[in-house]
Amino acid sequence: MPVPPTTPDPAPGIVARLRSAGCVFAEEEARVLTGAAATPDELEGMVQRRVQGEPLEVIVGWADFCGLRVAVEPGVFVPRQRSEFLVVTAADLAHAGSVVVDMCCGTGALGVALAAAVGRVELYAADIAAEAVRCARRNVAAVGGQVFHGDLYEALPAGLHGRVDLLLANAPYVPTWEIGLMPPEARLHEPHIALDGGPDGVDVHRRVAEGARDWLAPGGHLLIETSERQAAQTVGAAEVQGLLTSVVCSEEFSCTVVVATVPC
């Protein structure tokens, strides 16, 4: 569902409280909270939760992602704006009818946004967390997709072997030791399994790359969101599996994506 174009102007006091709590986009967040609350008491409760560090998207129950309203539930990784670049990159490679897998899907935002951008895809999503699967089903059902529960490729139907055109992976890539340095809204309110990429942050990327060739169609693409400093390791994980790689970066989104392709 498209995000409503306008919301009420927030009270200045709310903006000041959010700014004092460290919210960088305090005015925008105050506007979202004001629009989401049905009563003054509900608004006050929402503001208190945000001041205490709870993610805005969890409080209001949705995230604005690629111009879509994506449902977000407690205990599920919140889609980041930078990941919109992965969708943009994937859309350039997709076509109507593409078979798409959203791996480590969280809310399912990547697959849903790609389906909206392309028009129609055969969408499958998977996550190891039951909370994420439940949330993703709310979002993915709207575009006719399916969501499966399990560890990476173990979750997928066997009939997808060798059929996948695009495999999207915003897998965890925060090095374990860096999680404690993340903002409270992430390290205290999002599941560590959705953040922890192992000692160097690339453990899950290696596992995704290892299984990709069995599932991708000839000429199919694996797209992995990573960081600029980790890109070389992510590339290495894909190349050792015989995949052809390229790295695309966006200053606008502050995002780096590794594209790994199965040779035809």
Side-chain angles (χ1 to χ4, degrees):
M1 177 183 299
V3 176
T6 59
T7 52
D9 290 332
I14 294 176
V15 176
R17 289 169 65 188
L18 295 176
R19 188 171 289 121
S20 296
C23 298
V24 176
F25 303 104
E27 186 169 342
E28 291 84 349
E29 292 195 13
R31 184 172 287 106
V32 170
L33 291 170
T34 301
T39 66
D41 286 345
E42 185 178 14
L43 176 59
E44 174 59 25
M46 288 181 168
V47 173
Q48 288 183 9
R49 290 168 64 187
R50 184 66 185 119
V51 167
Q52 293 167 2
E54 194 168 346
L56 173 71
E57 295 83 0
V58 173
I59 295 169
V60 299
W62 58 271
D64 177 0
F65 188 79
C66 291
L68 303 174
R69 178 174 284 196
V70 176
V72 178
E73 297 181 4
V76 179
F77 181 80
V78 176
R80 303 327 197 228
Q81 296 298 306
R82 63 174 173 267
S83 299
E84 293 185 2
F85 180 62
L86 192 153
V87 175
V88 171
T89 305
D92 287 339
L93 300 170
H95 54 80
S98 287
V99 178
V100 177
V101 170
D102 183 354
M103 185 68 71
C104 304
C105 68
T107 63
L110 293 180
V112 170
L114 181 61
V118 174
R120 180 181 63 83
V121 299
E122 186 178 333
L123 177 61
Y124 304 86
D127 203 287
I128 195 172
E131 296 85 354
V133 170
R134 181 181 63 244
C135 181
R137 283 176 175 156
R138 293 177 58 191
N139 294 311
V140 170
V143 295
Q146 301 179 63
V147 186
F148 300 91
H149 183 203
D151 185 16
L152 299 182
Y153 299 103
E154 294 177 5
L156 299 179
L160 284 178
H161 267 107
R163 291 189 55 230
V164 179
D165 298 306
L166 291 164
L167 176 56
L168 314 180
N170 184 13
Y173 61 93
V174 179
T176 305
W177 64 273
E178 287 189 11
I179 292 176
L181 306 177
M182 297 182 72
E185 60 192 69
R187 61 182 166 82
L188 298 180
H189 295 280
E190 292 184 308
H192 278 210
I193 196 171
L195 305 172
D196 192 348
D200 63 358
V202 189
D203 279 2
V204 186
H205 292 179
R206 294 186 182 97
R207 294 183 59 213
V208 171
E210 184 177 0
R213 289 201 67 158
D214 290 337
W215 295 86
L216 288 169
H221 307 284
L222 164 64
L223 293 88
I224 302 179
E225 179 181 318
T226 187
S227 70
E228 187 175 357
R229 65 185 172 89
Q230 294 165 304
Q233 293 167 286
T234 304
V235 164
E239 288 184 343
V240 77
Q241 303 301 326
L243 300 172
L244 307 175
T245 62
S246 62
V247 179
V248 289
C249 303
S250 169
E251 291 187 9
E252 177 186 357
F253 290 97
S254 298
C255 183
T256 300
V257 173
V258 170
V259 181
T261 304
V262 176
C264 293

